[in-house]
């Protein structure tokens, strides 16, 4: 079976988030608050670039897929959509192997180590879990800045 079988709900959060992001004004995309230093734009770019790095560079040992510079909300949103389309394509083409060896990770400056061996399955799980965490931050950021958050 392919790895996609293990993550049937991986895109559910996007069914709410993407339409929400399309309705935001430029000011809302870049709004920050003293209680949370990052903007929605920063979070969306972070999610997309992290997925690009984890899947394409670390897991598949290929190059980054996203352009080096994303300047507008439209570009950020398109990058967020594009990287997941690429991830989904790759996920559907990889067969699950319960004996797969751990993947060599870079050394992180803060000393972070994964809680379990970083197999392909673990990396995809990590990417989807990471996204969910940060999507929650988008709700917090919007409400701190006085506008409605996504309807989760």
């Amino acid at each position: 079976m392919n790895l996609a079988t293990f993550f049937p709900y991986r895109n559910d959060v996007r069914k709410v988030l993407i339409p929400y992001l399309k309705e935001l004004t430029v000011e809302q995309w870049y709004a920050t608050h003293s209680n949370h230093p990052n903007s929605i734009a920063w979070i969306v770019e972070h999610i997309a670039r992290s997925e690009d790095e984890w899947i394409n560079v670390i897991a598949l040992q290929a190059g980054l897929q996203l352009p080096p510079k994303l300047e507008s909300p439209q570009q950020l949103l398109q990058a967020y959509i594009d990287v997941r389309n690429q991830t989904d394509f790759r996920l559907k083409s990889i067969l699950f192997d319960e004996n797969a060896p751990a993947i060599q990770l870079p050394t992180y400056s803060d000393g972070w180590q994964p809680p379990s061996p970083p197999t392909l399955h673990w990396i995809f799980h990590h990417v989807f879990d990471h996204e969910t965490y940060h999507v929650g931050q988008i709700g917090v950021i919007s409400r701190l800045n006085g506008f409605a958050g996504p309807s989760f």
Side-chain angles (χ1 to χ4, degrees), residues 4-145:
T5 305
F6 291 92
F7 307 104
Y9 306 110
R10 67 190 175 277
N11 292 317
D12 283 1
V13 70
R14 290 167 172 254
K15 294 173 186 172
V16 173
L17 187 62
I18 290 171
Y20 170 79
L21 293 173
K22 287 179 178 179
E23 298 299 319
L24 293 178
T25 65
V26 172
E27 292 76 23
Q28 290 170 325
W29 269 88
Y30 293 101
T32 59
H33 189 276
S34 60
N35 291 333
H36 196 289
N38 296 323
S39 66
I40 290 172
W42 188 93
I43 297 292
V44 171
E45 184 168 6
H46 172 70
I47 294 168
R49 291 203 183 279
S50 295
E51 185 166 330
D52 193 16
E53 176 77 20
W54 275 100
I55 301 300
N56 295 311
V57 176
I58 295 172
L60 303 177
Q61 299 179 345
L64 293 170
Q65 300 298 305
L66 294 179
K69 198 165 191 172
L70 301 168
E71 297 183 2
S72 70
Q74 294 80 14
Q75 288 176 330
L76 291 167
L77 181 57
Q78 194 59 55
Y80 177 71
I81 292 167
D82 289 348
V83 77
R84 179 53 55 88
N85 288 340
Q86 294 166 9
T87 295
D88 279 344
F89 177 78
R90 286 170 172 85
L91 186 67
K92 292 173 185 173
S93 69
I94 298 171
L95 294 178
F96 174 69
D97 176 3
E98 69 179 272
N99 298 312
I103 293 172
Q104 183 66 37
L105 298 183
T107 301
Y108 295 97
S109 61
D110 63 359
W112 180 84
Q113 298 256 338
S116 59
T119 61
L120 273 176
H121 182 265
W122 181 90
I123 288 175
F124 280 99
H125 175 79
H126 176 71
V127 164
F128 302 140
D129 191 47
H130 175 261
E131 177 184 34
T132 302
Y133 170 81
H134 284 299
V135 167
Q137 286 182 314
I138 290 173
V140 170
I141 292 167
S142 59
R143 288 172 182 89
L144 282 172
N145 286 293

